[in-house]
Amino acid sequence: MPNDLSPTARALRALEILRTRPGTTAGELAVRLGVTERAARRYVGILREAGIPVESARGPHGGYRLGRGTRLPPVHFTQSEALGLVMAVLSGRPAAADTDDLVGTALGKVVKALPEGIGQQAAMLREYASAAPDPYSARPDPAITSELVDAVADRRRVLVTYRSEAGNEWDAEVDPWSIVVRYRRWYLLCHSHRADAIRTYRLDRVRAVRPTEHGFEPPRGLDPVAVLEENLGLGWEFATRVVFDTPLAEVAPWIRPPMGRLEPAGDGCVLVGSTRNPDMYAQEWLARLPFPFRVDGGEELRAAVAALVARFTAAVADHG
């Protein structure tokens, strides 16, 4: 932050930090304000003197947070911000165009709260824009998502009830490291104590969340997106191994992380991974690749590719 800010400006900035990041410690607040910890505590004192309830808690999960019922200044949007918000909501959830939709109701309240000059175009955009439903999207339960977000923030182990695509259901005690949104699907990245391994659970398949008394510490330097990408293509039932004579640099842009790990091999490369659905792997992933390849491992995948080739061959056969 600029060094010439007044104490009032820094106190207001501290208020904004505590509003957006509950549980901020004095040290974290000092870094964000560009001051010493002693000065950061002084700005918290200024807020309290102004009648703003700032609560503090000690321990590993402590820090400052605003008390309930704290009234904050209204949020102001520019016209571009308001339109961008409506566009993002409609892009991510087409049903929000419907006022009966949960998110649509919330969006309507935001639009109505905007000043007339800014809100008019946002309201028109919402009224006249149409969004086609995404058949591949999956919406998690907001209440379950909220419980998991709280557990991530509090670093609190939870017991989740999970239902697989096949309909099998089980309980797993997990350390919830992060929530990751990828291609419009929501994932819980966690360490499963049942499997003693990293797991990625789709939030729309989580049926229940129950807190435990155990805390946890996430891995140092955790990159949730990178770890999720790395693990989506591993640990499934059917092994896969696909060999390309094309250099890795040319193949890599066409490989999605769930397909596996791409490694150099001589003048070409090899894709090593696993899948729970060999037919989908062959029909939706391999079939779109513009390079020659051979399936070098995974009998189930070899069979799926052979069936696909036979179907395509029959489609162009001369039946006359």
Side-chain angles (χ1 to χ4, degrees):
M1 293 185 67
N3 293 326
D4 58 349
L5 289 181
S6 68
T8 301
R10 288 189 189 277
L12 290 175
R13 174 58 180 152
L15 175 61
E16 177 64 16
I17 292 171
L18 298 182
R19 184 184 69 82
T20 57
R21 298 179 64 89
T24 297
T25 65
E28 293 168 341
L29 187 59
V31 171
R32 291 181 173 276
L33 294 176
V35 299
T36 64
E37 285 194 30
R38 182 177 180 182
R41 293 190 180 93
R42 186 165 63 248
Y43 293 125
V44 170
I46 291 174
L47 295 177
R48 288 168 171 164
E49 290 176 3
I52 298 173
V54 180
E55 300 172 352
S56 59
R58 297 182 180 276
H61 306 295
Y64 295 116
R65 63 184 68 239
L66 298 179
R68 292 186 177 182
T70 303
R71 300 189 63 180
L72 299 175
V75 178
H76 297 285
F77 292 96
T78 66
Q79 185 165 290
S80 295
E81 288 172 339
L83 292 178
L85 177 62
V86 175
M87 292 169 66
V89 172
L90 293 181
S91 295
R93 187 182 179 96
D98 187 350
T99 55
D100 293 332
D101 178 74
L102 176 66
V103 176
T105 301
L107 180 62
K109 291 179 179 179
V110 172
V111 171
K112 287 180 180 179
L114 295 172
E116 183 176 355
I118 295 176
Q120 184 175 8
Q121 282 204 346
M124 290 176 61
L125 173 63
R126 185 192 181 199
E127 181 177 356
Y128 293 108
S130 299
D134 182 356
Y136 301 105
S137 65
R139 306 296 176 192
D141 185 308
I144 286 178
T145 303
S146 177
E147 291 180 74
L148 288 172
V149 168
D150 286 344
V152 171
D154 292 341
R155 298 183 176 180
R156 182 67 53 190
R157 188 181 303 174
V158 294
L159 190 68
V160 298
T161 300
Y162 192 77
R163 181 178 297 168
S164 69
E165 185 177 22
N168 300 319
E169 193 169 292
W170 66 86
D171 290 335
E173 192 172 14
V174 304
D175 295 342
W177 290 350
S178 182
I179 304 294
V180 181
V181 184
R182 181 184 181 278
Y183 296 122
R184 297 185 182 178
R185 285 188 174 171
W186 293 65
Y187 295 90
L188 171 66
L189 177 65
C190 61
H191 176 269
S192 169
H193 291 270
R194 178 186 184 207
D196 191 23
I198 297 173
R199 286 291 182 263
T200 53
Y201 293 138
R202 278 179 42 178
L203 261 64
D204 59 295
R205 294 179 182 163
V206 176
R207 295 301 176 223
V209 179
R210 295 178 294 282
T212 73
E213 297 300 319
H214 304 287
F216 70 89
E217 288 294 328
R220 293 176 62 90
L222 175 68
D223 183 338
V225 175
V227 175
L228 178 86
E229 296 278 13
E230 180 181 343
N231 280 271
L232 279 177
L234 302 175
W236 299 109
E237 182 178 0
F238 304 110
T240 60
R241 181 180 174 87
V242 183
V243 178
F244 302 87
D245 294 327
T246 309
L248 183 147
E250 296 182 35
V251 178
W254 293 82
I255 302 301
R256 298 173 55 190
M259 296 174 70
R261 182 176 61 255
L262 194 62
E263 302 173 345
D267 295 332
C269 55
V270 59
L271 178 62
V272 181
S274 62
T275 181
R276 68 174 184 273
N277 190 336
D279 291 332
M280 179 275 296
Y281 197 106
Q283 296 171 21
E284 297 185 20
W285 290 350
L286 291 183
R288 62 183 287 274
L289 299 179
F291 312 105
F293 62 85
R294 63 183 181 276
V295 180
D296 193 41
E299 292 304 315
E300 294 81 8
L301 181 59
R302 289 171 62 88
V305 171
L308 180 63
V309 170
R311 182 157 62 89
F312 277 28
T313 301
V316 296
D318 185 356
H319 299 287

